[in-house]
Amino acid sequence: MNKILIIEDEEAIAELEKDYLELSGFDVDLEKDGESGLEKALSNDYDLFILDVMLPGIDGFEICQEIRKEKNAPILMVSARKEDIDKIRGLGLGADDYITKPFSPGELVARVKAHLSRYDRIVESLMPDNSIIKIRGLKIDTTSKEVWVNGETKSLTAREYDLLEFFMKHPNQVYSKEDIFRELWNMDAIGDIATVTVHVKKLREKIEVDPAKPQYVETVWGMGYRFKV
Ligand code: CA
């Protein structure tokens, strides 16, 4: 369940917001002044904040800036004053949206839902996706660049790692030394492609039980290499 913090000193508005959001399935906390609101905002995990601008103690602008220094969750600001709205728009406080009073509770709920789903999508897109690749006894983590052979950590140079990741992402395909050189050395294959042979040899020494009889990086005579699945 998504948790929302409302900081609002006007009792009637605060209760209305809370009731509607709870009816829509949100878990809602309410604070009525700036200091306790900011403290609660920073010491708990909320999915979204609704901040009134005019508050006793610390105002909504400052709370917004303080929250934004620590948290990425959406912030909706609420105010009746036109100059506040201009300030929210113009100052780069880190607020995601603003709502002018008076507003309908339905509008508030719709905005909250829109911001939460947008935020969920952003968070999801930042999550490492399928960062582990595992083929038989070989496992790599493409985020941390770690390599395990039969459960044992292996230390590879950056180039050896890149070569292994390339092979594991393109299993069962034959690549010529020129192809590999072009892929990994990031230039047209005008350099010395013998460097590919050298790196394949070093990689085999680290990942193969018997480098002379490779189980993973196979030589395809006259063509190049293939990573066997
Ligand atoms: Ca107020």
Side-chain angles (χ1 to χ4, degrees):
M1 192 190 290
N2 283 307
K3 274 184 76 176
I4 296 173
L5 176 65
I6 299 170
I7 308 178
E8 169 65 72
D9 61 319
E10 281 174 72
E11 188 99 30
I13 293 179
E15 292 300 333
L16 186 71
E17 291 175 352
K18 189 171 191 284
D19 287 350
Y20 268 85
L21 290 166
E22 283 177 348
L23 280 172
S24 304
F26 298 107
D27 187 357
V28 182
D29 283 347
L30 183 57
E31 286 296 330
K32 292 174 183 173
D33 70 83
E35 269 115 20
S36 56
L38 179 58
E39 197 198 319
K40 196 148 192 175
L42 297 180
S43 57
N44 293 274
D45 272 335
Y46 289 104
D47 300 294
L48 185 139
F49 302 93
I50 299 173
L51 307 181
D52 182 30
V53 171
M54 293 296 287
L55 289 164
I58 311 169
D59 72 19
F61 295 125
E62 198 178 337
I63 295 174
C64 181
Q65 285 177 305
E66 291 303 315
I67 293 174
R68 190 47 86 227
K69 283 182 197 163
E70 313 252 331
K71 313 260 180 185
N72 295 314
I75 302 173
L76 268 65
M77 311 261 324
V78 178
S79 181
R81 302 194 310 175
K82 193 187 170 297
E83 56 268 39
D84 287 346
I85 303 304
D86 292 341
K87 202 169 167 186
I88 294 164
R89 273 199 292 220
L91 276 188
L93 297 165
D96 294 87
D97 203 356
Y98 57 88
I99 298 174
T100 48
K101 287 180 189 172
F103 53 84
S104 75
E107 186 192 352
L108 177 75
V109 171
R111 300 265 192 111
V112 164
K113 285 182 176 169
H115 282 284
L116 283 172
S117 67
R118 183 175 160 269
Y119 182 60
D120 283 349
R121 285 198 303 277
I122 293 169
V123 170
E124 217 166 88
S125 73
L126 296 174
M127 297 280 278
D129 190 24
N130 294 329
S131 65
I132 299 284
I133 303 176
K134 194 171 181 297
I135 296 177
R136 288 184 283 137
L138 269 183
K139 188 170 86 170
I140 63 171
D141 184 330
T142 59
T143 305
S144 65
K145 313 284 184 199
E146 286 172 289
V147 177
W148 296 266
V149 180
N150 299 320
E152 198 182 308
T153 311
K154 292 282 172 179
S155 164
L156 269 63
T157 65
R159 195 67 83 184
E160 289 161 3
Y161 174 84
D162 289 343
L163 184 60
L164 179 60
E165 183 180 312
F166 173 75
F167 278 135
M168 290 180 81
K169 281 182 170 171
H170 307 90
N172 283 338
Q173 296 177 47
V174 179
Y175 289 95
S176 68
K177 289 172 191 171
E178 288 85 355
D179 291 337
I180 295 167
F181 190 80
R182 214 168 18 238
E183 281 294 331
L184 298 182
W185 275 258
N186 257 338
M187 55 187 107
D188 288 330
I190 47 169
D192 187 1
I193 60 162
T195 191
V196 175
T197 316
V198 172
H199 279 84
V200 167
K201 182 171 180 288
K202 286 188 197 159
L203 179 62
R204 280 175 174 157
E205 283 163 7
K206 293 185 180 176
I207 64 168
E208 302 282 1
V209 175
D210 179 359
K213 289 179 191 155
Q215 300 299 303
Y216 296 110
V217 182
E218 178 187 48
T219 300
V220 182
W221 293 110
M223 295 178 78
Y225 301 104
R226 171 171 56 200
F227 190 90
K228 281 195 290 185
V229 171

